[in-house]
Every structure is written in C-alpha cells, then in structure tokens.
Amino acid sequence: MYAPILEIDTKKVTENAGKLHAFCDQRGVELTFVTKGFSARPEVIRAALAGGITSFADSRLKNIRAAKQAIPGLKYLLIRIPAIMEAEDVVRWADWSLQSQIEVIKAVSEAALRQGKIHPIILMIDVGDLREGVFGRAQLDEIAPQIKDCAGVELVGLGTNVGCYGSVLPSVENTAVLVELRDYLHKKYGFSISVLSAGGTCALKLLEDGSMPAGINQLRVGEAVLYGEDTTGNRFLEGYHQDAFRFKAQVVELRRKPSVPIGELGRDGKGDTPEYPDRGVRLRAICAAGKQDVAWAALTPMLPGAEMIGASSDHLIVDVEDCGRQVQVGDWLTFRCGYMAVLDATTSAYVDVQIWED
Ligand SMILES: *Cc1c(COP(=O)(O)O)cnc(C)c1O
C-alpha cells in the first residue's frame, strides 16, 4: 500500500554525532544526545553510539523503555519533568531525571526506596524561558531542604533549559546562574553537585565562542546531531550534514493554477486566516502526504526551484513552476526535514520509515 517515506541516513548521523561528541569532549562537556525528535528509533541510537556518544536523554518513558529493550546498557536521562503517577517507571527505566516539583520528587523518592535504589536527579532552574524549573532564590530555598529529606533521591545536578517555550537564547549570564547556585547550595545546605546541565542545541554557540561558563559539564542536544541546524539561533552548523533525514511523497496532481484562492475567504482547515500572496498563475504539484504525516513547514524541497506553499491534512502543495518541466505525476518529491517534520513522521502511523547508509 502507498505510504510517504521517511529516509534516515544513519551514516550521516554517525558522522554528525562523532564530530559533535569530539567537539564537546575536547571542551570538558559531556554530550547527552536527545532522542525524542525521532521517537528514539534504535537504528539512529546505534548510529550515535558508533559516533562515540554514550549518554542519552528522552522526554518519554515509553521511548526510554523501548530503546533500552532494543539496546541493553544504554544510559538514559528523563528530560520531561515526570508526572506523579510515573514515579515507579521513572525509577525503573530512567537512570536519572530532570525534576522541578517537590510533590513529584517525593513520589520518585518513595518509589526508589521501594525498588531498593537511590535515584539521581537534576533540579531544573528557570532562568527566564518560563517553562520548567525553580524560579528565583526564594523558591530554591523552599525546595532545597525538602529534597534533603527525600532519602530515595540524590541531587546530583542543576539544569536549565532555554529556547523551547520562551525562545530565550542562552547567554553567559543566564547559564552562569547554574554555577552560582551550585556554590550556594553547597555552602548553605551541603549539597555536592557534580553536574551542571545546559541545553539544547542553541547552547552550543557559547561553547563555540569559548564563552561557556566554567563548570557547565553537560549539554543536552538533539537538533544539531540530527539536522546540523540550530532553529532557535536561526543558523545551520557548518560542516555538519543537514539532510540525514529526508521525506518523500508522490505527486498525484500537476496543474497550473492562480496563487490566490477564488471566492470569499473564511478560515482554513486549521482555523487560521493565512495570507495568499499573488504570484500569478503557477504550476503546482500536489503530493500525497499531509499534516497527518509530517509538519509541512519543516520541509524544504530538495529539487532546485521547488517551493513549499502549504498543506492540508492529506495534501502537500509545492510550487514547481521554476523547475523547468522536470516534475511528472508519479514522481517522488524529496524534502529535507527539520526537527518537527521528523517528530511527526516518526510518530505517524502512515509513514514508512526506511533506514539508509549512503
Ligand atoms: C528537547 C530538549 C532538549 C534538546 O533540544 P535540541 O534543540 O533538540 O537540541 C534539551 N533539553 C530538554 C529539556 C529538551 O526538552
């Protein structure tokens, strides 16, 4: 049966992984490879292992469990702050976890004691992105002594995350907060914290510039290894493969049409009111794939001259006017994938994933 295809070139992932791992290693930073963006597919994890990466992270326990069952011995950090009802599974499947809330930490501590373990945790500090983490010194002073009372967990690290919700960029100042709070927690409560964890890909810029505050010794990175891209920092990383992930869909209609819809405009299928710039009559290819398969805005057609114009739940619309009559009905169009494209394609039931080694 027809299905659009996600091609994964594992050799390119290995090369990206090897390069970034060496780069971080030389600067005293452990690269923790974030696998949530491709549903932790074992082939990609093996490619990262081949590149020298030994530390992994995922937001979903289901991914962590499946990865560990496929590849025994993997070391995994859980990077989505867990739900209370996940506590038993956190201790069972994650080697360590990011945490931010005492109710959850207590539940994890009790689960660890029941399982005869001490579960290491990294406490998240919110430095302004306003997603997860303890916000401000008063909140830290409230949670710190309570963590001390949790016999089943050990506070081994502090972490911060930027770029994901608030689109805040990492800076020397907002990263150095971790170093300062590590020393504060040592002095005031006697914690000995050995890991200072920053992320994600956008934090690489500080390492490249040589301005990463001393003491930061872990970076949680997905995007750079997978796509050679830093979306938050709005740049591609030089020397890294950017097309290890390619999406393919077949052309099912090819017609010249005006670029502005005709008739009174309401809202589109998603409830938005998009703008349609008038570019005249253009040759448009409809491909048999849509929002149920892939995040179309993260696709870039690889055919020179082709341009992504939009999508509905089941159709991708590509402007191929400038492709010199190369495109035929029945052709497969190939697209370079960004983060969200692969996130969707690996979680869609309708996409055929094919592993490649160029
Ligand atoms: C997704 C995620 C990362 C990785 O981010 P990239 O931009 O893919 O490198 C790091 N840390 C946390 C907490 C995340 O959720």
Side-chain angles (χ1 to χ4, degrees):
M1 206 172 284
Y2 168 81
I5 295 168
L6 175 70
E7 276 180 4
I8 306 177
D9 185 336
T10 52
K11 192 162 166 233
K12 288 183 175 165
V13 174
T14 297
E15 287 173 7
N16 281 359
K19 194 168 171 142
L20 196 64
H21 172 70
F23 174 82
C24 292
D25 202 43
Q26 283 154 14
R27 287 155 184 83
V29 170
E30 177 183 63
L31 172 61
T32 295
F33 181 40
V34 176
T35 62
K36 68 182 180 211
F38 55 93
S39 303
R41 294 205 48 126
E43 301 91 341
V44 181
I45 294 173
R46 283 196 195 93
L49 283 166
I53 290 175
T54 55
S55 172
F56 296 85
D58 205 288
S59 51
R60 310 267 166 164
L61 278 169
K62 204 169 170 179
N63 286 354
I64 294 177
R65 184 182 65 192
K68 286 191 164 192
Q69 284 171 339
I71 309 171
L74 291 176
K75 186 185 181 201
Y76 251 104
L77 171 69
L78 176 68
I79 56 169
R80 179 169 66 180
I81 47 172
I84 288 176
M85 66 180 288
E86 288 181 301
E88 290 287 343
D89 284 332
V90 170
V91 174
R92 185 164 295 118
W93 294 106
D95 298 281
W96 45 344
S97 59
L98 303 186
Q99 298 285 345
S100 74
Q101 195 71 32
I102 195 62
E103 294 88 335
V104 179
I105 295 170
K106 278 182 181 159
V108 169
S109 173
E110 283 158 19
L113 293 175
R114 277 193 294 274
Q115 293 181 35
K117 292 182 183 172
I118 302 287
H119 180 81
I121 63 170
I122 294 178
L123 182 66
M124 292 304 277
I125 306 295
D126 190 334
V127 296
D129 198 57
L130 308 185
R131 201 177 68 180
E132 75 274 49
V134 171
F135 189 83
R137 197 64 67 97
Q139 291 185 8
L140 186 63
D141 279 323
E142 191 188 348
I143 200 170
Q146 298 189 72
I147 294 175
K148 275 233 126 147
D149 290 340
C150 294
V153 300
E154 186 188 356
L155 180 65
V156 298
L158 296 178
T160 190
N161 195 66
V162 291
C164 281
Y165 166 71
S167 54
V168 168
L169 288 166
S171 66
V172 175
E173 295 73 30
N174 66 22
T175 310
V177 168
L178 294 185
V179 182
E180 188 190 319
L181 294 182
R182 174 198 65 192
D183 296 343
Y184 174 75
L185 287 173
H186 180 69
K187 222 190 271 159
K188 184 147 182 199
Y189 302 99
F191 284 111
S192 63
I193 287 164
S194 57
V195 177
L196 296 183
S197 178
T201 289
C202 51
L204 278 172
K205 189 82 177 64
L206 298 181
L207 258 198
E208 287 168 34
D209 296 348
S211 59
M212 183 65 86
I216 305 295
N217 55 10
Q218 180 185 75
L219 273 189
R220 308 177 311 271
V221 171
E223 189 178 35
V225 173
L226 299 166
Y227 316 107
E229 188 174 5
D230 171 5
T231 301
T232 309
N234 193 20
R235 66 186 181 125
F236 286 99
L237 294 149
E238 213 177 301
Y240 288 83
H241 296 290
Q242 281 141 22
D243 60 349
F245 293 78
R246 296 177 297 253
F247 189 81
K248 288 181 150 182
Q250 208 170 70
V251 177
V252 290
E253 183 187 295
L254 193 62
R255 291 186 186 283
R256 302 193 85 232
K257 296 184 186 181
S259 34
V260 182
I262 298 141
E264 192 191 340
L265 298 187
R267 296 194 295 174
D268 72 359
K270 208 177 119 226
D272 292 336
T273 45
E275 301 270 320
Y276 302 92
D278 190 357
R279 305 170 65 200
V281 174
R282 311 277 299 176
L283 186 63
R284 298 153 77 98
I286 295 183
C287 295
K291 292 176 181 170
Q292 286 197 66
D293 309 288
V294 69
W296 68 274
L299 294 179
T300 312
M302 293 181 78
L303 182 68
E307 194 184 320
M308 196 75 220
I309 20 187
S312 59
S313 55
D314 300 290
H315 305 89
L316 298 177
I317 307 171
V318 186
D319 184 315
V320 293
E321 178 72 24
D322 300 331
C323 299
R325 296 181 180 277
Q326 273 190 67
V327 179
Q328 308 289 325
V329 173
D331 284 357
W332 290 86
L333 287 192
T334 304
F335 304 84
R336 176 201 174 259
C337 296
Y339 206 95
M340 289 299 157
V342 175
L343 193 80
D344 282 6
T346 54
T347 51
S348 169
Y350 303 101
V351 177
D352 186 13
V353 178
Q354 297 183 1
I355 307 295
W356 271 61
E357 256 202 42
D358 266 3

